[in-house]
Amino acid sequence: MVNDQRPAPRPDGFGQAAELHTAAGLRPEARHDPAPSQEAPVEFSFVSPQGVTHRVRARFGPDRPRLVRPPALARPVLFEDGWQGVQVRLPHEAGADREAYALFQAEITAALALHRAYAGTRFGSLFPTPVGYDVNTLTPFVLYAVPRGRPLSGPTERVSMAEQRAVERDLVLTVRLMEAVGLVHRGIVPGAVRWDGQGVQVWDLGSVVRAGCPRVPYGIPPYASPEQRAGVGSTDARDALWSVAQLLYHLVTGRPGSPDGPPADLAAQRSVAETLGPVFARQAADRPTPDALLRTLVPDIAAEAAGALLPDPMEGHRREFDEIRRRKHASVAPPLPPAHTPYVPGQEHPGTPNGHGADGPPGYGGTPPPFSGYEYPVRERGRLRTWISGGRTSGTNEPGGSRSEGDTRR
């Protein structure tokens, strides 16, 4: 009924592979997802990763806050055959926002590229498993298998040394595998990295771009590298390694690191310094490559990852097609104003109902920063901050408040 090319579940060192179908419904580790609505099922269609169009009947649950980066929305979906997953969609009101639409298109492209490269291998569970998508609707969407685990949230995790090494290994491996297919993840933040006690799964594929393309200002400190925030030079896989090092530092210490170089107390954090110390270099050229770092951390897995992907003879043609499509869109697309005004801190004032208050820094008095892709209107600010921090924050108006993303208590 949906996608007949189903990878069998297989436990390994990177968590259990996603099950695309199950007659019983959710896997045990995913039972925290809200149940889909009991309303009558609706009919809709989608295209599978193999390019086959399917028409199914399904029920949808309520939107899940903190699962995906705003303005995208996510909700559980249940097919009539018992399969259950997650639908990530761009709401209609954000459809006129060219920036948001481009990021959503990038997510679908990256999800399909990674699925085609690693589905059926032991590395496939490191990424979301796409089941289908449709961009020719008023609310473009992509269907994923149920995500594993819950977001990393830093100081409350109390990770053991073994867990820290597993997170470190999986994130560096993820960067290396994405580099192998010419992709770079610019948005590795706590909210985008899920942990299930065995391994990680990296989401927010809308922040993925092709390696070597010109950098544009994107991301937030300290997770985005200095070059990425400044938008200088060309995108490099070592940009993502900087994000990995910053996330591990935050996970271990409970504090954000320095946005411009090594943290002042890095030498005291030996578990991070011994393995990731060189990654905190300000310039990408001074950081180790993902392959070199992975060979230092786990030589056997590095060798396996190097052989997991054969060269794609069509890669040159794919790049040429992407460039032709980009030029075509630039020449025929009418200018569209954004659906919102990018969030500028100087427009708010501390202590006011719409100001930062206890949920953010004091007012900004300098030149507004460039648009980063993470900035949204004031009304979205609580959602965005909660998502970036991994779903654990206080002082927001979101359902669940300061509870973890996976907590179902209401």
Side-chain angles (χ1 to χ4, degrees):
M1 178 178 178
V2 187
N3 175 11
D4 291 332
Q5 303 182 26
R6 313 166 193 171
R10 45 186 293 176
D12 53 43
F14 309 101
Q16 185 173 350
E19 301 175 36
L20 294 190
H21 280 66
T22 171
L26 283 173
R27 303 190 311 274
E29 67 269 22
R31 284 180 299 190
H32 62 264
D33 286 286
S37 170
Q38 298 302 314
E39 297 178 0
V42 298
E43 188 174 275
F44 76 105
S45 63
F46 62 88
V47 180
S48 74
Q50 290 72 35
V52 179
T53 300
H54 297 275
R55 186 172 297 278
V56 299
R57 294 178 63 81
R59 291 184 173 91
F60 295 94
D63 287 329
R64 292 274 307 282
R66 304 183 294 276
L67 181 59
V68 294
R69 175 168 52 85
L73 300 173
R75 59 183 177 177
V77 55
L78 175 65
F79 290 177
E80 282 193 327
D81 70 349
W83 180 85
Q84 188 164 358
V86 172
Q87 183 196 50
V88 177
R89 70 193 192 281
L90 191 66
H92 176 62
E93 56 270 20
D97 184 343
R98 189 177 297 244
E99 183 80 16
Y101 189 78
L103 292 176
F104 197 77
Q105 282 190 314
E107 170 159 0
I108 296 175
T109 301
L112 294 177
L114 293 168
H115 179 72
R116 289 163 183 163
Y118 300 114
T121 73
R122 67 186 302 223
F123 305 126
S125 60
L126 293 168
F127 307 102
T129 301
V131 175
Y133 64 95
D134 191 349
V135 295
N136 298 315
T137 68
L138 293 178
T139 56
F141 68 86
V142 56
L143 297 171
Y144 290 116
V146 175
R148 293 196 292 113
R150 59 189 178 88
L152 291 173
S153 57
T156 60
E157 288 300 306
R158 298 179 182 177
V159 294
S160 66
M161 181 62 70
E163 291 173 328
Q164 178 188 337
R165 292 302 180 219
V167 172
E168 180 181 76
R169 173 205 66 198
D170 283 7
L171 287 179
V172 174
L173 175 60
T174 297
V175 174
R176 173 69 182 102
L177 293 172
M178 296 186 77
E179 179 191 41
V181 293
L183 301 176
V184 177
H185 200 308
R186 303 176 298 168
I188 297 179
V189 299
V193 178
R194 303 181 71 88
W195 168 253
D196 67 355
Q198 300 180 28
V200 306
Q201 190 175 63
V202 179
W203 283 64
D204 187 26
L205 299 183
S207 294
V208 173
V209 296
R210 283 197 174 273
C213 70
R215 291 189 183 101
V216 295
Y218 191 90
I220 61 167
Y223 302 108
S225 69
E227 314 101 307
Q228 184 63 69
R229 300 196 316 271
V232 297
S234 299
T235 303
D236 191 301
R238 290 170 288 187
D239 297 345
L241 284 186
W242 166 281
S243 304
V244 170
Q246 292 290 346
L247 192 150
L248 262 294
Y249 177 85
H250 190 191
L251 186 66
V252 171
T253 67
R255 304 186 303 273
S258 169
D260 299 313
D265 66 339
L266 181 60
Q269 309 301 330
R270 295 180 58 186
S271 65
V272 178
E274 290 175 354
T275 55
L276 300 178
V279 183
F280 289 96
R282 180 177 176 83
Q283 301 295 329
D286 297 328
R287 302 172 202 141
T289 64
D291 182 55
L293 183 58
L294 190 63
R295 291 182 184 277
T296 300
L297 298 177
V298 278
D300 55 334
I301 294 178
E304 185 179 354
L309 183 67
L310 296 176
D312 183 0
M314 299 297 294
E315 178 61 21
H317 300 290
R318 296 185 201 282
R319 289 181 178 271
E320 181 181 1
F321 175 79
D322 288 344
E323 177 60 22
I324 292 174
R325 184 175 62 175
R326 184 194 65 78
R327 293 199 302 264
K328 178 181 177 181
H329 286 182
S331 64
V332 303
L336 291 174
H340 61 249
T341 301
Y343 164 67
V344 179
Q347 294 177 348
E348 297 184 289
H349 303 283
T352 63
N354 291 326
H356 293 286
D359 192 36
Y364 181 88
T367 303
F371 182 76
S372 71
Y374 280 126
E375 296 161 342
Y376 291 92
V378 175
R379 67 178 183 276
E380 296 263 5
R381 189 174 165 278
R383 278 192 70 205
L384 184 65
R385 180 180 178 91
T386 305
W387 179 85
I388 289 173
S389 66
R392 290 178 183 268
T393 186
S394 60
T396 71
N397 294 323
E398 292 194 47
S402 61
R403 291 193 284 268
S404 67
E405 186 273 335
D407 195 334
T408 58
R409 293 174 297 173
R410 289 290 182 259

